[in-house]
Amino acid sequence: MHPPKLLRVSLTGPESTGKSTLAARLAAHYGTAFAPEFAREYLADVGPHYSPGDLEKIARGQLAAEAGAEARAHRIVFFDTDLLVIKIWYEHSFGNCPEWILKCIDQQQYDLVLLMSVDLPWQPDPLREHPHLRQQFYDLYQRELRERMSNFAEITGNPDRRFAHACYLIDELLRNAPALPTAPEKIMPASPPTHYTLSTPQCRATFARHGAELTSLLTTADGLEYIWPGDPAVWGRHAPVLFPLVGRLPGDTYQHQGRDYKLPQHGFARDQQFAVLQHSPTELVFRLEHDEFTRAVFPFAFELIITYTLRDRLLTVRWDVRNPAPDQPLLFSIGAHPAVRCPLLPDETFEDYYFAFDHPVTLERHLLQGGLLTGNTAPVMSQAAELPLSYGLFADDALVFKHYDFTRLTLRSRKSARFVRFRFDGFPYLGLWTKGPGAGFVCVEPWHGVASPTGEPGELHEKEGIMTLAPGQSFSANYSMEVG
């Protein structure tokens, strides 16, 4: 029996449709457990060739993994594949399926099944078999689900769209679910706050525990907000922390010690719940550590400490990354992605703004295609101290700079004295970005890491910008934002 009121969500569908990546991401987002696909673990040990007996062992292993996840879960639990996958796999390979598996499928009760579409590119893997039969298998899953249950949804699009669609469905599920019963004789501890505030006489900053993200920075004298409010219709974030990856991987895939792993663009920290270690009027310290969810997509031990300090109108952000493993190096990248409202005032436009440098600079951008570096560059400016903003400047995605010779950058307006000044000593990469015409923000992104080049997935330790920490070693970096 699963725990009372525990909502059960299964992710099912053909091979190479993003089930594992989405299951881990959803579990991390909702702060709960998920059952990984037992078949991958089993076949990684015995090899890609299997017998009917192997599939029965896989089915039993999947049930055990589901039971273990349910025991650890809170309110909701996710399953990366289910016995329906075993049934279809069994029937395709051997013509029939054991009766006990069919009975288990009939007894399974899911509150929601997410059927993953085949519109993602096929990702080669030694454990995958049928790149040309995905649509045929998808039709089988669809027919089975229509016959067995009504509460399933087809999930399509790129990984971020899939995640957003799944979250919408799950939020509705949680909203309509009965509240968990409470024991009247027990006083339950209060849940930690979801947001924290720092303030000085000049300024106030607000942060979310979800992602340890800066969500607001305003001047108290006039209440002017400097941080993008995160409109989901345009871009739903404010200032995400990029860890343990900066940029995109080919197929969102990397290799480590002979295995393929999936990581979404910019990593998973921005969708994790951080612990709060310290909170005073002017300083806030968050911590994120590895757990079973992160290990599924990133097989490294880590501790990430983020310290926010507010002094007058200056916000300083410090990252400390530590490798707590006794015998394994930690491979990672880290970066910032703060979005500043642009324009800041109602009578201004995006084109009224420009970036001011401390001295004349010459810059060339490293071009992107589909979020990956093409290897080509294009000039941006030559011995100039100002870069005028226009949406056309970002028509080909973000401006990516490598090994530039400045450490300060100020966003200014030609119509007012308002500014946002960034300082980022020691960062080898910098991104400037906005979503597109009409988006009311611009991002200044100092990075220790950068997107991968186009091509096939590669070894993580060979990726440009990846840093290596020996056991017990730490890395620190900081940047600051001053508003006025």
Side-chain angles (χ1 to χ4, degrees):
M1 287 290 292
H2 54 269
K5 306 298 182 183
L6 186 65
L7 298 175
R8 306 172 82 243
V9 177
S10 171
L11 287 78
T12 196
E15 298 174 290
S16 192
T17 53
K19 296 185 293 293
S20 300
T21 300
L22 184 56
R25 189 174 178 184
L26 289 171
H29 178 71
Y30 288 98
T32 189
F34 80 101
E37 182 183 10
F38 182 77
R40 293 197 65 82
E41 177 183 337
Y42 182 88
L43 295 176
D45 291 335
V46 305
H49 305 293
Y50 52 85
S51 67
D54 289 319
L55 291 187
E56 291 200 59
K57 290 179 183 178
I58 289 170
R60 293 188 179 95
Q62 186 66 34
L63 289 174
E66 292 184 9
E70 289 175 352
R72 302 187 305 273
H74 171 70
R75 191 76 194 280
I76 190 167
V77 62
F78 298 96
F79 304 125
D80 172 9
T81 75
D82 51 35
L83 289 192
L84 180 59
V85 174
I86 306 297
K87 174 185 182 294
I88 290 177
W89 193 7
Y90 219 121
E91 291 175 343
H92 176 80
S93 299
F94 302 107
N96 56 23
C97 181
E99 188 65 27
W100 74 266
I101 294 179
L102 298 178
K103 287 182 178 179
C104 284
I105 293 173
D106 290 337
Q107 294 166 1
Q108 295 279 23
Q109 297 294 323
Y110 296 112
D111 297 281
L112 177 65
V113 174
L114 304 178
L115 173 58
M116 308 293 283
S117 173
V118 296
D119 57 347
L120 288 179
W122 172 267
Q123 299 299 327
D125 185 309
L127 301 181
R128 292 174 179 158
E129 298 180 287
H130 304 295
H132 305 300
L133 297 179
R134 286 200 298 167
Q135 185 62 53
Q136 176 181 325
F137 279 113
Y138 183 83
D139 294 341
L140 289 174
Y141 284 103
Q142 188 182 62
R143 186 175 69 237
E144 290 271 1
L145 289 171
R146 283 176 174 166
E147 292 175 354
R148 293 177 180 275
M149 61 185 299
S150 59
N151 52 331
F152 80 93
E154 299 175 62
I155 303 297
T156 64
N158 64 37
D160 287 339
R161 179 175 176 178
R162 289 171 182 239
F163 177 69
H165 186 192
C167 286
Y168 171 79
L169 296 170
I170 293 161
D171 288 345
E172 287 295 307
L173 195 65
L174 289 167
R175 188 175 296 114
N176 296 322
L180 290 173
T182 56
E185 67 275 11
K186 276 189 175 181
I187 299 177
M188 302 301 290
S191 298
T194 60
H195 289 77
Y196 296 80
T197 299
L198 303 180
S199 61
T200 67
Q202 296 83 14
C203 209
R204 183 168 74 248
T206 303
F207 307 85
R209 195 164 65 89
H210 181 80
E213 185 175 10
L214 170 68
T215 61
S216 172
L217 182 62
L218 57 83
T219 44
T220 53
D222 52 15
L224 180 63
E225 177 64 72
Y226 286 79
I227 296 298
W228 167 248
D231 180 358
V234 182
W235 186 62
R237 301 184 186 269
H238 311 272
V241 177
L242 316 183
F243 178 88
L245 188 72
V246 173
R248 187 177 291 281
L249 296 162
D252 294 328
T253 301
Y254 70 92
Q255 295 159 354
H256 179 66
Q257 295 184 345
R259 286 191 60 184
D260 283 358
Y261 293 88
K262 290 278 192 177
L263 262 184
Q265 184 178 27
H266 296 325
F268 52 68
R270 58 187 182 167
D271 292 315
Q272 295 275 335
Q273 293 290 339
F274 280 66
V276 175
L277 300 186
Q278 179 183 329
H279 182 210
S280 71
T282 58
E283 187 168 272
L284 177 60
V285 184
F286 289 104
R287 178 175 66 191
L288 180 67
E289 297 178 292
H290 65 276
D291 58 23
E292 62 183 297
F293 312 127
T294 67
R295 287 272 197 183
V297 294
F298 183 67
F300 301 94
F302 68 86
E303 179 185 47
L304 169 60
I305 303 292
I306 302 177
T307 303
Y308 292 102
T309 305
L310 187 62
R311 296 285 185 268
D312 297 326
R313 294 175 304 182
L314 178 71
L315 177 67
T316 301
V317 186
R318 176 186 169 99
W319 304 317
D320 292 282
V321 181
R322 186 178 70 88
N323 180 6
D327 55 7
Q328 181 192 29
L330 167 60
L331 309 180
F332 74 99
S333 293
I334 191 167
H337 202 310
V340 176
R341 289 178 58 241
C342 183
L344 289 167
L345 300 177
D347 61 341
E348 297 175 329
T349 68
F350 188 83
E351 288 76 10
D352 292 327
Y353 282 76
Y354 62 97
F355 283 119
F357 302 84
D358 289 345
H359 59 86
V361 298
T362 296
L363 291 174
E364 65 175 13
R365 64 187 297 184
H366 293 258
L367 298 175
L368 296 165
Q369 182 178 17
L372 302 172
L373 292 170
T374 66
N376 299 318
T377 62
V380 174
M381 52 194 297
S382 177
Q383 284 302 295
E386 295 182 2
L387 176 61
L389 293 191
S390 69
Y391 289 115
L393 186 63
F394 304 95
D396 295 322
D397 210 330
L399 305 185
V400 177
F401 305 120
K402 297 184 180 183
H403 309 294
Y404 44 89
D405 65 348
F406 55 91
T407 60
R408 296 181 186 178
L409 186 63
T410 305
L411 178 66
R412 292 190 176 277
S413 170
R414 301 193 189 280
K415 288 188 174 179
S416 74
R418 298 292 180 173
F419 69 88
V420 183
R421 179 177 295 113
F422 292 85
R423 180 165 182 167
F424 35 84
D425 295 334
F427 284 79
Y429 307 98
L430 178 70
L432 304 176
W433 176 75
T434 191
K435 180 70 173 178
F441 68 88
V442 65
C443 294
V444 177
E445 309 173 39
W447 298 329
H448 280 279
V450 72
S452 293
T454 55
E456 297 298 317
E459 285 287 336
L460 186 61
H461 70 87
E462 296 176 350
K463 183 183 184 304
E464 181 180 357
I466 286 291
M467 295 179 286
T468 302
L469 285 182
Q473 196 174 46
S474 296
F475 164 86
S476 297
N478 66 81
Y479 73 96
S480 66
M481 298 172 56
E482 181 183 5
V483 299

